Amino acid sequence: MTSRRDFSFDLPERLIAQYPSEQRGQSRLMTLDRATGERAHRTVSFLPQILADTRFLSCSGDKPLLVFNNTKVRKARLIGKQTVTGAEAEFLLLENLKNYDCKTGRSVWKTMVKRARRKKKGSSFIFFDKDGRQAANAVVMDAQDEFLLLEFNTLIDDEWLEKYGLIPLPPYIKRKDAPCDLSRYQTIYADRTGSTAAPTAGLHFTQGIMDEITSFGIESVFITLHVGAGTFLPVRSENIEDHVMHEELFCIEDKTAEKIEAAKKTGRKIIAVGTTSVRTLESAWNDGKLKRGENKTAIFIYPPYEFKVADALFTNFHTPESTLLMLVSAFAGRQLIMESYAEAVKNEYLFFSYGDAMFIY
């Protein structure tokens, strides 16, 4: 049995980044060589030069292929008031169930909310715009563990959320969203709306860094995985094998799949930017081919796991006992990751969404 406590470590609260770095791309970067255990300390802006090193060339001299997740975070956080008590509740809209009545415009969403079980079926909530005018109301249709099904009296789509919704900052950021979050909690290449959380490794990349990567002759491709509820849910079972991930939607286009498949066939290095890119690649890979189009995944990667696609991983520093920490532990080895995290804490690296980065190869 592998216990979730095997992935626990002491993290001072001061090291949980509450704001992004002053400038995108200037965060610290720890590099980790899986073969030797060697670690080095740089900044993210140095990444293009690292990738241009000969160690990332294939046997035939081909340069690596970077894989980014181009999902876009929707403004999926709503604050409502219960119509009877006036109590405030914060909802995170996870999935549009697509079963709204086109004639009435009613929408049904699966949502996450604290103390969901206390919110009884039939209770109703009012949502206001920034001027205090009613923008929508909703009725609880059903409660499922930490989730509620809400039926809104109007069409709640991305256009409506862009107008009335709030940025869904993670729960470990203990502040209200600020104007800077509108841009900084979004990658510069975000293209396809659908996530309830940012693919945080990609937050470090500036256009200058992307251009420098290209100038070295290194190619980039984009896949999509819409980050869902699993990002926020802790591993509660003592045995990690009993943990169940929630499904997330991903999409890989034909041309992208062809490039990744060709790279694997010729021994070209695949560098995944973010754990979401890794999970997409590992979910879609089957006997030398990637699934095309839209699919769903609930893959849970933990040690031991044999990676089929990614050769290197650019990622952030993750929360104790989280599925993301378990994934990077599978990639580099639990002991090596725990030693690296201890060094990161000692050197006061910043952790989580707005924190510093790690490059594992």
Side-chain angles (χ1 to χ4, degrees):
M1 183 185 86
T2 304
S3 171
R4 61 184 171 87
R5 301 183 195 281
D6 293 335
F7 302 90
S8 183
F9 62 94
D10 292 328
L11 180 66
E13 195 167 333
R14 71 178 185 280
L15 298 184
I16 300 174
Q18 296 298 306
Y19 286 91
S21 59
E22 189 172 332
Q23 289 186 319
R24 197 192 292 261
Q26 293 303 309
S27 293
R28 298 167 71 187
L29 174 65
M30 176 189 287
T31 60
L32 172 63
D33 185 330
R34 291 184 289 170
T36 66
E38 181 183 357
R39 288 180 285 268
H41 305 278
R42 296 186 172 91
T43 62
V44 172
S45 60
F46 198 72
L47 181 65
Q49 297 175 59
I50 296 172
L51 299 177
D53 192 279
T54 54
R55 78 185 77 184
F56 298 110
L57 296 178
S58 70
C59 294
S60 57
D62 292 326
K63 294 179 180 179
L65 179 67
L66 266 68
V67 182
F68 292 87
N69 180 8
N70 65 359
T71 187
K72 186 175 182 179
V73 182
R74 61 163 50 110
K75 295 169 75 172
R77 186 163 58 97
L78 298 179
I79 297 176
K81 286 190 176 181
Q82 193 164 357
T83 53
V84 175
T85 65
E88 199 170 82
E90 184 174 302
F91 296 88
L92 183 64
L93 274 58
L94 301 174
E95 182 182 1
N96 186 350
L97 299 183
K98 303 294 185 184
N99 57 349
Y100 56 81
D101 187 326
C102 295
K103 293 181 179 178
T104 64
R106 292 178 180 271
S107 292
V108 177
W109 280 79
K110 182 178 181 180
T111 70
M112 181 183 287
V113 62
K114 290 181 180 178
R115 295 181 288 277
R117 293 178 184 177
R118 297 184 184 180
K119 295 164 178 60
K120 303 300 183 183
K121 183 177 180 180
S123 58
S124 59
F125 294 84
I126 302 174
F127 301 90
F128 301 91
D129 65 17
K130 62 181 180 180
D131 297 319
R133 294 172 298 197
Q134 183 172 328
N137 60 52
V139 176
V140 176
M141 296 179 63
D142 196 13
Q144 302 171 349
D145 298 323
E146 50 269 281
F147 305 110
L148 288 182
L149 297 187
L150 283 187
E151 183 183 46
F152 290 85
N153 69 331
T154 188
L155 177 62
I156 307 296
D157 56 10
D158 288 325
E159 184 178 349
W160 190 95
L161 290 172
E162 188 62 30
K163 186 176 181 180
Y164 298 110
L166 301 170
I167 293 292
L169 293 178
Y172 44 74
I173 293 182
K174 306 295 185 182
R175 62 172 175 82
K176 293 183 177 180
D177 53 316
C180 69
D181 297 313
L182 287 172
S183 61
R184 295 298 298 275
Y185 197 64
Q186 200 81 265
T187 64
I188 64 166
Y189 47 80
D191 185 52
R192 299 190 175 183
T193 303
S195 276
T196 56
T200 55
L203 298 180
H204 296 283
F205 287 80
T206 65
Q207 192 57 56
I209 291 174
M210 301 286 282
D211 290 343
E212 189 176 357
I213 288 171
T214 302
S215 74
F216 283 120
I218 299 169
E219 190 178 6
S220 299
V221 294
F222 297 87
I223 57 180
T224 306
L225 181 136
H226 293 314
V227 188
T231 296
F232 299 108
L233 295 179
V235 176
R236 294 194 176 97
S237 52
E238 185 59 38
N239 182 359
I240 66 172
E241 295 176 15
D242 296 331
H243 179 71
V244 178
M245 296 285 285
H246 290 273
E247 281 191 332
E248 295 168 311
L249 182 70
F250 72 86
C251 182
I252 303 176
E253 295 181 350
D254 286 340
K255 289 184 178 180
T256 297
E258 289 169 5
K259 287 183 179 180
I260 296 170
E261 290 164 358
K264 292 303 294 182
K265 191 173 292 185
T266 60
R268 190 177 174 193
K269 302 290 186 185
I270 302 291
I271 298 175
V273 177
T275 56
T276 58
S277 294
V278 171
R279 294 181 66 245
T280 303
L281 293 171
E282 295 298 312
S283 298
W285 190 261
N286 182 32
D287 196 25
K289 294 286 185 181
L290 286 167
K291 295 177 185 176
R292 269 78 161 162
E294 289 192 354
N295 292 278
K296 287 187 176 182
T297 180
I299 190 171
F300 176 24
I301 297 175
Y302 55 88
Y305 180 88
E306 184 176 346
F307 288 83
K308 301 180 284 293
V309 187
D311 298 296
L313 170 62
F314 180 90
T315 186
N316 276 24
F317 288 91
H318 304 295
T319 57
E321 300 185 16
S322 66
T323 60
L324 303 182
L325 179 57
M326 293 168 192
L327 185 153
V328 296
S329 296
F331 193 75
R334 189 192 72 85
Q335 187 62 36
L336 189 53
I337 286 294
M338 299 310 287
E339 290 171 358
S340 300
Y341 271 50
E343 184 170 320
V345 170
K346 181 180 178 181
N347 286 276
E348 300 210 326
Y349 273 70
L350 294 177
F351 280 66
F352 311 160
S353 295
Y354 278 149
D356 295 314
M358 188 177 196
F359 181 53
I360 310 169
Y361 60 91

